[in-house]
Amino acid sequence: MSMLRLIASTALMNLQGLPRRRLNALVMIVSIAGAVAVFCGVLAMNAGLDGAMRDAGRPDRALVLRAGSTVEIASAISLDDLRAIRNSTQVRKAADGTLLITAEAVGPITLVEKAGGLEVNGTIRGVGPEILAVRPEIHLVAGRMFEPGKFEVVVGRQALEQFRGLGLGGQVAAYGAQWKIVGVFAAQGSMRESELMADATVVMDVSRRPMFQNVTAVLPDAAAVTGFKQAIAANPSIAMDVFSEPEFLQRESQSLNGLLGFMAYVMGGIMALGAMFVAINAMYSSIDDRRREIATLRALGFPPLVVVCSIVFESMLLALLGGALGAALAALVAGGRTVSTAVGADLRQLVFDVSMTPPVVLQGMAAALAIGVLGGLIPALRAVRSQVVDDLRAI
């Protein structure tokens, strides 16, 4: 009989005896499920954050900030700076000849979370009439666009769901004024949906900051970003930093990405280590119940490799069941849930959906499989190293 057939038949015999060892099997499955659920839950948050940032960025869009600005809100771009930037020949034009470029005034606004009543830093973004042409992903889902020169705002879909007092037709207080909420917009689930938008001139007036915080330009293609950077750097009248939009968004989110990654692998690793010890103890107990059975196989001439593989296979199967249960639990509890958290050095509030993507599930299942292999291998090696005579005498 071939080695593979011996392993398969021995593993099948082990599985047929699982009902007798169901308590050990259940303990192992539940412990691994808990570790995988935590691991997948944090990774799903990271995937949701990546999605919100990635969907907001196009490689053919460039953002211009004052040189040395560590955060967007600290940047300051004057009207003269804006004119110099607009003179760049790399900026794309719309069908009617209008330059696809917009200057934005960004300011903080205090918002209150619906869930816990906590006050957080939101963002009110002053934009110009070109915003919908520069960012076609933004579209109204309710109400209308704000009118220039008026204290009117449109709120992002995620902000409406997460924060109090942002309903259509209501008012929100900012900078000593009451702003009427006239519309709700969506932006393909991107970070823009966490913000409020208003007329840039009004935002600058009430915030007493007569400066823009960024300029966003649409270029012919992604390759044109390099030329645009060079053109801005070559202009001695302005001192600006230029980023492609994906590059800027990655810079904004890297600290939170790092924290979530640390949480996933450290917390998940600690729980995985505990689950592995549970698996080892469960498999030790299972093997101890079958000492004579395993010794009989060895006495009949079954190679040690066959015995080891059959035991590890059983452990892997139980681990995969635990992994599937943990991933399902994470998807049930966290999947599709909306999370509000601070990002960037200015701690602005970002709202995004937790995303249980296939890579997240695969990483969870891979972690479960690793626990199963290690949890089964150590007891299996001990089983084949014991004395056959002693095991046959075991009661």
Side-chain angles (χ1 to χ4, degrees):
M1 187 179 293
S2 68
M3 185 71 70
L4 288 178
R5 291 184 64 185
L6 280 174
I7 293 173
S9 60
T10 308
L12 181 61
M13 182 178 64
N14 289 348
L15 295 179
Q16 289 173 341
L18 270 179
R20 300 194 310 270
R21 307 186 301 276
R22 57 184 176 273
L23 183 59
N24 287 332
L26 184 61
V27 169
M28 181 175 172
I29 290 171
V30 170
S31 64
I32 292 175
V36 171
V38 171
F39 184 58
C40 285
V42 181
L43 286 181
M45 288 181 62
N46 207 356
L49 174 63
D50 282 340
M53 290 298 191
R54 182 181 61 252
D55 292 342
R58 273 176 40 180
D60 63 342
R61 280 198 298 238
L63 272 80
V64 183
L65 278 71
R66 172 67 61 183
S69 300
T70 56
V71 293
E72 184 183 21
I73 202 169
S75 175
I77 300 174
S78 68
L79 285 172
D80 289 337
D81 295 332
L82 176 59
R83 293 188 191 99
I85 295 168
R86 288 176 66 90
N87 288 333
S88 173
T89 57
Q90 283 86 3
V91 180
R92 190 194 301 177
K93 292 183 179 180
D96 61 359
T98 304
L99 286 175
L100 294 177
I101 188 168
T102 184
E104 300 179 346
V106 182
I109 181 173
T110 301
L111 299 173
V112 180
E113 291 185 335
K114 287 181 178 179
L118 181 68
E119 289 189 351
V120 296
N121 285 332
T123 300
I124 183 168
R125 186 175 295 272
V127 299
E130 312 89 353
I131 185 63
L132 298 182
V134 172
R135 297 188 175 277
E137 70 273 16
I138 295 177
H139 62 278
L140 290 174
V141 294
R144 60 173 175 82
M145 198 63 172
F146 59 82
E147 292 184 17
K150 292 187 177 182
F151 288 96
E152 295 181 345
V153 296
V154 291
V155 303
R157 180 181 58 86
Q158 295 278 27
L160 174 64
E161 294 177 359
Q162 195 72 10
F163 304 116
R164 297 177 182 174
L166 297 183
L168 186 63
Q171 291 187 331
V172 59
Y175 301 102
Q178 293 293 322
W179 303 68
K180 186 178 180 181
I181 301 169
V182 297
V184 179
F185 70 89
Q188 297 180 349
S190 71
M191 62 175 288
R192 290 274 170 165
E193 293 189 5
S194 306
E195 301 176 345
L196 284 68
M197 287 197 307
D199 179 60
T201 304
V202 178
V203 172
M204 287 191 293
D205 286 345
V206 298
S207 63
R208 298 180 181 178
R209 298 181 66 199
M211 295 280 186
F212 298 103
Q213 274 61 64
N214 82 63
V215 174
T216 303
V218 181
L219 307 179
D221 52 46
V225 173
T226 301
F228 185 63
K229 287 182 179 181
Q230 292 171 348
I232 297 298
N235 191 333
S237 66
I238 55 176
M240 301 290 162
D241 289 331
V242 179
F243 305 91
S244 69
E245 196 167 37
E247 180 185 6
F248 174 76
L249 294 175
Q250 183 181 13
R251 189 185 77 156
E252 287 283 284
S253 63
Q254 64 183 359
S255 60
L256 183 56
N257 277 134
L259 175 62
L260 291 176
F262 176 81
M263 288 174 60
Y265 289 102
V266 173
M267 291 174 57
I270 292 172
M271 292 195 67
L273 187 64
M276 186 179 71
F277 282 119
V278 171
I280 290 173
N281 287 332
M283 293 308 296
Y284 268 137
S285 179
S286 175
I287 289 171
D288 193 57
D289 291 340
R290 295 182 290 145
R291 288 178 62 187
R292 285 191 295 177
E293 177 184 318
I294 294 171
T296 301
L297 292 175
R298 294 170 61 197
L300 290 174
F302 279 69
L305 180 62
V306 171
V307 177
V308 169
C309 287
S310 66
I311 293 172
V312 171
F313 178 80
E314 177 186 335
S315 179
M316 288 169 57
L317 180 62
L318 294 175
L320 288 175
L321 288 174
L325 179 61
L329 184 63
L332 183 65
V333 174
R337 186 175 180 180
T338 300
V339 174
S340 173
T341 188
V343 297
D346 54 352
L347 299 179
R348 77 179 70 177
Q349 208 68 12
L350 173 66
V351 183
F352 59 91
D353 292 328
V354 177
S355 182
M356 279 291 293
T357 60
V360 169
V361 176
L362 287 176
Q363 288 183 71
M365 296 302 290
L369 193 61
I371 294 171
V373 171
L374 293 174
L377 185 61
I378 296 173
L381 291 175
R382 181 184 175 186
V384 296
R385 287 175 179 171
S386 62
Q387 295 294 323
V388 174
V389 175
D390 294 337
D391 289 343
L392 286 174
R393 291 172 177 169
I395 298 176

